[in-house]
Every structure is written in structure tokens, then in C-alpha cells.
Amino acid sequence: STCRRLVESLENDLPSRDTPSAFLHSQSVDFGRFKREAWSRECDVDALIVWSSIRSFVKGAVEALKLCRPLNRGEYMALGRRRCRLSDEQRGVVYSEYERYEKYRKEKKLFDECDRISAVLGRVQDLLKSDSVAFEEIRHDKIYVDEIQDYTQCELALFFCLSGPGSLFLCGDPAQSVVEGVEFRFEDIRSVGHYLCSSGNRRLIPDKPLTVNVNFRSHSGVLDVAAGVLSLL
């Protein structure tokens, strides 16, 4: 994907730091590998729900960015009900599965996308603090992201850091998520903006999203043309 190419180019161009700069595909953990090798078959919570909570909250939430580490059990349990809809009992099970997964991941020297994005984001922020001229060379005049519902807050923060105020355009539909392991709300985008505005630059806080109410894909004219083509076939 374009996002993956962006991350790969940053890994090649950014100054190195203590975190790994090379992430081999053979060492990556996606949902399939997590379910096969790390998820407990005796777990009472579905593997996809566990994976989504790990990616979207424990490791990929804006709170984890602020702390520069994954959320601990108490911090995860304290997330609002509207944001994380699991019960206290389910959250307890999820966090135990997360601890089990992290032990497995570290023993095998593996990584997931949250680890990779966090490492890149840390290197971007290091460059911003140490060399503003070099940082400007990796910034983008405009960034356009479609299907924004398939990205975690950690990934959103990377887009924010690489674009200036008014230079980031995001669009998507929460009802059309296709990436396994993302719990998305449009409110989460503004939360990332607030986190990055700790320096006082409130221009980074995006406006509330505009809602498109007309679906041109189901417009009667489009449907009539499609029906006509099908009838000819």
C-alpha cells in the first residue's frame, strides 16, 4: 500500500536510533499469525476482538503515544465505555492475552505494525527536535488519506507529523472497515490533534468531519446504466 511505502522510505531516510531500523517481513505479526501462534484457544474472547483491542487501544491509542509505551492494565481498564465497548471482565481477559502475546513476541524477536509505526514516529520526532532543516526535507506539502477508518491513532499521528496545518485531508466510512484489528471513530482523529498540540499550535486540531449525505454509487442514473450493461451481457 502507499502507506507502507511511506513507512519504508522513512525507515531508509531517517537517522537511526536505539530501536530497530530494519523490520523483516518474516518477523512481522499480523492477525493470522497472532491467532495461529499467540492467541489462547481457551480464551473466552474472540481472537479478532483481542487483536483489535491490542492494536487500537493497548499499543496504538493516543494515550500510548503520550506515555511512549503501551497502556498498563489499569490505564486500559479506565478507557471510556463509548470508546472501548468491552465489559470489565472482557477487558481483563484481553489484557491477559496481551501480556501473553507480548511475552511470545519478545521471545521470538517479532514485531507488529504498532511497534513499527511507533519506532518510525519516534525517529520523526527526534529529527524534529534535533535538526529542523532536515525535518523539513521529509515533510509533505499535502497528504491525502482515503479509507481512514483502517488506521490506528498511532498511524494517524504519523500523518499529522509529516504534514503542516491544513495540509492533511482524511476521508473514510466507519461502516466500511476492511483491515483486521482497528476500532475507529472520527473523534479519535481530533484526539490525535489535541495530543500533538501540546506545544500550543492548535492549528493542528482538525475541524469536525464533514458528512457526505449523497451516495453517487447508488444514484438512479448510475444504477440504470449498470442494469443496461448487465442486460446486454
Side-chain angles (χ1 to χ4, degrees):
S1 67
T2 303
C3 179
R4 182 163 296 177
R5 291 199 298 270
L6 171 64
V7 171
E8 290 173 350
S9 68
L10 290 171
E11 288 173 336
N12 292 329
D13 297 339
L14 288 167
S16 61
R17 62 184 329 212
D18 293 336
T19 53
S21 57
F23 291 89
L24 302 177
H25 179 71
S26 61
Q27 297 300 101
S28 68
V29 181
D30 58 10
F31 171 62
R33 188 168 189 174
F34 168 78
K35 185 176 181 179
R36 288 193 310 271
E37 302 178 12
W39 177 65
S40 172
R41 299 287 187 234
E42 292 74 34
C43 181
D44 294 332
V45 180
D46 184 79
L48 182 56
I49 295 176
V50 174
W51 182 244
S52 298
S53 290
I54 291 173
R55 276 176 43 82
S56 299
F57 304 126
V58 180
K59 297 182 74 170
V62 67
E63 290 85 354
L65 292 175
K66 293 178 183 178
L67 296 167
C68 298
R69 60 165 175 78
L71 302 185
N72 61 35
R73 185 181 290 267
E75 291 159 348
Y76 170 61
M77 297 292 291
L79 292 176
R81 296 290 181 189
R82 292 182 60 187
R83 186 167 171 204
C84 180
R85 292 165 289 182
L86 301 181
S87 66
D88 287 343
E89 181 180 359
Q90 289 173 317
R91 293 192 197 195
V93 172
V94 165
Y95 204 86
S96 294
E97 284 293 303
Y98 159 70
E99 292 174 326
R100 186 173 182 273
Y101 161 63
E102 281 294 286
K103 181 180 179 181
Y104 152 84
R105 185 185 64 78
K106 291 175 181 177
E107 287 176 350
K108 299 292 186 180
K109 295 181 172 56
L110 306 176
F111 72 93
D112 56 41
E113 279 303 301
C114 287
D115 300 316
R116 187 176 189 177
I117 296 298
S118 294
V120 170
L121 187 56
R123 292 168 66 187
V124 168
Q125 293 173 333
D126 286 349
L127 185 63
L128 173 60
K129 296 174 184 176
S130 63
D131 191 339
S132 59
V133 175
F135 174 76
E136 288 301 320
E137 293 180 0
I138 68 166
R139 289 190 65 175
H140 291 61
D141 294 330
K142 297 287 183 180
I143 295 180
Y144 299 88
V145 185
D146 194 10
E147 310 295 355
I148 194 62
Q149 73 275 3
D150 291 329
Y151 294 92
T152 64
Q153 285 187 306
C154 189
E155 291 166 321
L156 289 171
L158 181 62
F159 298 145
F160 271 91
C161 287
L162 294 176
S163 65
S167 300
L168 182 60
F169 181 84
L170 310 173
C171 63
D173 183 351
Q176 296 186 23
S177 179
V178 296
V179 172
E180 297 164 322
V182 179
E183 290 281 344
F184 175 85
R185 304 179 311 156
F186 271 104
E187 294 91 328
D188 296 339
I189 298 175
R190 289 174 58 82
S191 297
V192 174
H194 280 283
Y195 159 67
L196 294 173
C197 286
S198 56
S199 61
N201 187 1
R202 299 191 62 81
R203 292 182 301 163
L204 286 175
I205 301 177
D207 296 330
K208 292 184 178 180
L210 298 176
T211 301
V212 178
N213 296 311
V214 179
N215 183 354
F216 289 100
R217 287 181 296 181
S218 60
H219 185 277
S220 60
V222 174
L223 294 177
D224 289 343
V225 171
V229 171
L230 290 175
S231 65
L232 293 175
L233 295 176

